[in-house]
Amino acid sequence: MKRARIDIDCPDGRHLVLHVPAARAGWRLTELLRAANLPLNTRCGQRGLCRGCLVEVLDGADTESARTARACELRLKPSDRLRIRIPPRSLLAYEPQIVTDFRINVPRAHDPLVRVLRIDPQTLPAEATPAERIARGVARHCDSPLNLTPQAQAALARGIGPGPWFVTIARGTAGWLITDVADSPAARLVGAAIDVGTTTVALLLVDLSDGAVLARGAGFNQQIHLGDDVVTRITLCTQDPAMLGELQAAVAHRTIRPLLMEAAQRAGVEPRQIVCLSVTGNTTMLHLLAGVNPASMGVAPFTPTFLEHRVLLAGHLLDTQPMACAPDAGVHLMPGAAAYIGADLCAGIIASGLLYDDGPSLLVDVGTNGEVILKHGQRLLGCATAAGPAFEGAGLSCGIRAGEGAISRVRLAARPFSIAAECIGPEGIRPAGICGSAYIDFLAQGRRIGLLGPTGGFELDAVPESRETIVALADGDLALRLHGGDNGRAIVVSQRDVSLLLQAKAAIAAGIQTLLALAAVEPRQVRTLYLAGGFGAHMDPTHAIECGLLPGFLPSQIQAVGNSSLAGAYLALIDAGMIEEMSAIRQRLEVVELNLDPRFEERYIDALTLPDIPVGTIR
């Protein structure tokens, strides 16, 4: 019986031959490649809506004479022969560079979510029962109700010695729980702080006794194979409720669980020592992790099923065979404020120090989504902008996420015209594409030297030598070649790319301006603009200002705080009181619906242009 055959030219130079069993005839090419451990960027959920899974078809498929095709739209018949080349930007094989470092601008207590107390029975009433004496001893350390879990009750039933007693307590949703009673100290207790992002997940393993970071881990949120953004994933659950289980498994079993196991191995700790997890993320990500359908957030009035602090059981959530953490570990989902102002922002509001700042101050998180928080006096205003994932590279000709092989810096000069690019990774690495920080460089410097006009169009007469770098794409669009590219294929920025980038930066800029206008604050009056997230860590603040992403600010006002969502998860892990602080934010924060503001659209349209940059105005 004939079997379909796929000849594959891989980005690393390997040539692979894939023989397709008859049972897989009719599968999408993306599915066949994923089964062969060559997963592509199926960020739209294989619906043919993006260009993430583009492959070059060299021979054997009817692609209407086009040299490129979406792999999710190609299906093989039993006797087909196909030869393809996978571009580097289409393959999810490069290591993501994700911020696991952060800056915490607030002091903290040492009050971890799980800890062991040493209780001396000699200081307690002798006439009380052991359970009463333990409860009284623990109450000296806690200011909330106490309950004994069945495990602690069983330990008491077995009997305990004359002391001292070592009592393990864990934070619940309504107070502290006594989870174990022993005659000797427990092994070192470890917790995990986790930031579940739409695109990436970052994790820290932490010694609960002193807050020391033992290991770090980061990787792609495996939900990206099903949908690249929040709206797509909500839509999937709305159209097919069975997708909820798929999305939950993708983040819990295929993302968090292996990250925990790898981090535990690096730290030299047993998984059973991981006794609690503190999790932040946007509201949709926490719904999906909890197995709660987010469909209600897809239509007005965008109502979440829950926003409060929740505690789940790791044994139910992470399928602990083999064990990734203690089965009875509590998985703490941090509180959020609204459908699109989630726990990640509440965590960042605290960790950055904005909550306690005299202000006026801003927190701006430019990631797969764009969120802005303004603190002015006692007011907290927040909004989410429909910026889309352009700054993550989605939908752009050569856009990729920040990772090895991504061009992260671009320098342009006019006289003589020149282009210099820097890549993430070891010296000599071949560029695979362009990430968001380099696009910001391109917009700002392109406008500064006159290559880009006010609306983003190429002004070739202003920089005549640039004509040598202009190429025409298959769809007729013009593009500027930044680099010759791998194996002779050019890495370019097209006119369409510039248009999409301007739309993304306009949404964020207009969101910032709208919040400032509501509080009657000018940009130069802002004391600190906290710039959060991986994109903010790589981005040149001066170029962000020059291109209009952060309009009207000065570089001296901007402070990069790294992954403020992970920072907040870490704080909650080692200082349980932070959960109450995050919960209080929900009561204070005023969510601004930008589509209801009469001037938002006007600001957005104005921000679609690139401002003039007179020499010396910012630098």
Side-chain angles (χ1 to χ4, degrees), residues 450-516:
L451 178 64
L452 297 178
T455 60
F458 291 145
E459 300 283 349
L460 303 182
D461 291 339
V463 189
E465 292 178 57
S466 66
R467 293 181 182 276
E468 298 179 10
T469 65
I470 296 296
V471 296
L473 303 183
D475 58 4
D477 195 10
L478 293 180
L480 184 137
R481 186 175 64 249
L482 287 186
H483 192 276
D486 190 15
N487 297 330
R489 293 186 295 278
I491 294 177
V492 302
V493 180
S494 71
Q495 286 279 216
R496 179 179 176 275
D497 294 341
V498 173
S499 176
L500 292 174
L501 291 164
L502 292 181
Q503 292 172 45
K505 76 97 177 174
I508 294 165
I512 293 172
Q513 292 171 326
T514 298
L515 292 194
L516 292 178

Side-chain angles (χ1 to χ4, degrees), residues 358-554:
D358 291 335
S361 296
L362 283 166
L363 174 66
V364 179
D365 193 336
V366 183
T368 310
N369 309 299
E371 296 97 1
V372 184
I373 306 292
L374 171 65
K375 167 81 181 308
H376 184 227
Q378 294 304 308
R379 295 183 72 187
L380 275 176
L381 295 91
C383 69
T385 63
F391 289 124
E392 299 286 338
L396 306 182
S397 301
C398 296
I400 62 174
R401 301 179 181 94
E404 286 201 356
I407 295 175
S408 60
R409 290 281 182 268
V410 171
R411 293 188 298 275
L412 303 178
R415 298 180 181 83
F417 178 71
S418 65
I419 303 171
E422 296 178 11
C423 280
I424 297 172
E427 185 176 353
I429 191 171
R430 291 177 173 178
I434 310 168
C435 69
S437 56
Y439 282 117
I440 291 294
D441 292 343
F442 181 82
L443 292 179
Q445 296 193 32
R447 180 67 181 131
R448 177 177 282 278
I449 69 172
L451 178 64
L452 297 178
T455 60
F458 291 145
E459 300 283 349
L460 303 182
D461 291 339
V463 189
E465 292 178 57
S466 66
R467 293 181 182 276
E468 298 179 10
T469 65
I470 296 296
V471 296
L473 303 183
D475 58 4
D477 195 10
L478 293 180
L480 184 137
R481 186 175 64 249
L482 287 186
H483 192 276
D486 190 15
N487 297 330
R489 293 186 295 278
I491 294 177
V492 302
V493 180
S494 71
Q495 286 279 216
R496 179 179 176 275
D497 294 341
V498 173
S499 176
L500 292 174
L501 291 164
L502 292 181
Q503 292 172 45
K505 76 97 177 174
I508 294 165
I512 293 172
Q513 292 171 326
T514 298
L515 292 194
L516 292 178
L518 288 172
V521 173
E522 295 294 326
R524 299 294 172 91
Q525 294 176 298
V526 171
R527 181 171 179 168
T528 308
L529 190 158
Y530 299 103
L531 194 59
F535 177 71
H538 290 290
M539 185 170 60
D540 184 324
T542 298
H543 292 162
I545 294 166
E546 290 180 343
C547 77
L549 177 67
L550 304 176
F553 293 92
L554 294 171

Side-chain angles (χ1 to χ4, degrees), residues 258-305:
L259 286 175
L260 277 173
M261 297 176 71
E262 292 164 10
Q265 185 176 22
R266 286 196 298 273
V269 302
E270 294 293 330
R272 59 183 173 79
Q273 292 177 255
I274 303 174
V275 294
C276 60
L277 293 77
S278 170
V279 184
T280 54
N282 65 56
T283 307
T284 300
M285 292 304 101
L286 295 193
H287 275 60
L288 293 174
L289 177 59
V292 176
N293 197 316
S296 60
M297 291 186 285
V299 294
F302 313 110
T303 305
T305 299

Side-chain angles (χ1 to χ4, degrees), residues 6-260:
I6 309 173
D7 288 80
I8 307 167
D9 291 338
C10 298
D12 59 4
R14 291 179 300 154
H15 179 78
L16 303 178
V17 177
L18 181 62
H19 295 281
V20 182
R24 294 183 179 178
W27 281 27
R28 294 183 177 92
L29 179 59
T30 47
E31 296 166 339
L32 296 171
L33 293 176
R34 186 181 300 129
N37 200 29
L38 290 170
L40 302 186
N41 249 324
T42 53
R43 49 185 171 237
C44 70
Q46 301 188 117
R47 293 179 296 146
L49 300 179
C50 71
R51 295 166 59 85
C53 65
L54 284 182
V55 295
E56 295 182 42
V57 180
L58 305 179
D59 189 28
D62 181 12
T63 58
E64 298 180 354
S65 73
R67 288 186 56 82
T68 61
R70 293 184 179 95
C72 67
E73 295 179 333
L74 288 178
R75 296 179 184 268
L76 270 68
K77 298 174 184 177
S79 59
D80 277 351
R81 297 289 185 272
L82 183 66
R83 185 180 175 192
I84 63 171
R85 178 183 292 128
I86 302 175
R89 64 178 178 271
S90 296
L91 184 65
L92 282 181
Y94 60 87
E95 288 296 320
Q97 180 151 330
I98 302 160
V99 176
T100 55
D101 291 320
F102 44 75
R103 176 171 178 164
I104 293 177
N105 292 327
V106 294
R108 61 171 178 83
H110 183 67
D111 186 21
L113 290 174
V114 177
R115 57 180 167 145
V116 178
L117 301 176
R118 186 181 187 275
I119 304 296
D120 184 357
Q122 303 302 319
T123 64
L124 300 168
E127 68 276 8
T129 66
E132 290 172 339
R133 298 172 80 193
I134 287 171
R136 290 187 187 185
V138 173
R140 296 174 180 176
H141 301 269
C142 303
D143 57 358
S144 61
L146 291 166
N147 292 290
L148 272 74
T149 64
Q151 180 181 346
Q153 292 171 352
L156 286 174
R158 289 192 299 269
I160 53 175
W165 299 329
F166 296 90
V167 181
T168 304
I169 63 172
R171 182 73 180 188
T173 54
W176 290 91
L177 303 172
I178 299 174
T179 61
D180 196 18
V181 180
D183 293 315
S184 59
R188 179 171 61 170
L189 301 182
V190 176
I194 304 173
D195 167 40
V196 180
T198 307
T199 304
T200 55
V201 173
L203 174 149
L204 303 174
L205 276 193
V206 178
D207 188 329
L208 294 177
S209 68
D210 59 8
V213 175
L214 304 175
R216 301 169 184 262
F220 288 121
N221 183 338
Q222 293 301 306
Q223 291 176 347
I224 62 175
H225 294 298
L226 300 169
D228 200 48
D229 55 38
V230 163
V231 174
T232 300
R233 296 175 203 176
I234 291 175
T235 302
L236 288 173
C237 293
T238 302
Q239 295 174 344
D240 181 4
M243 286 303 300
L244 175 61
E246 291 289 329
L247 289 161
Q248 184 187 33
V251 67
H253 298 169
R254 299 199 293 276
T255 304
I256 294 176
R257 187 168 172 274
L259 286 175
L260 277 173

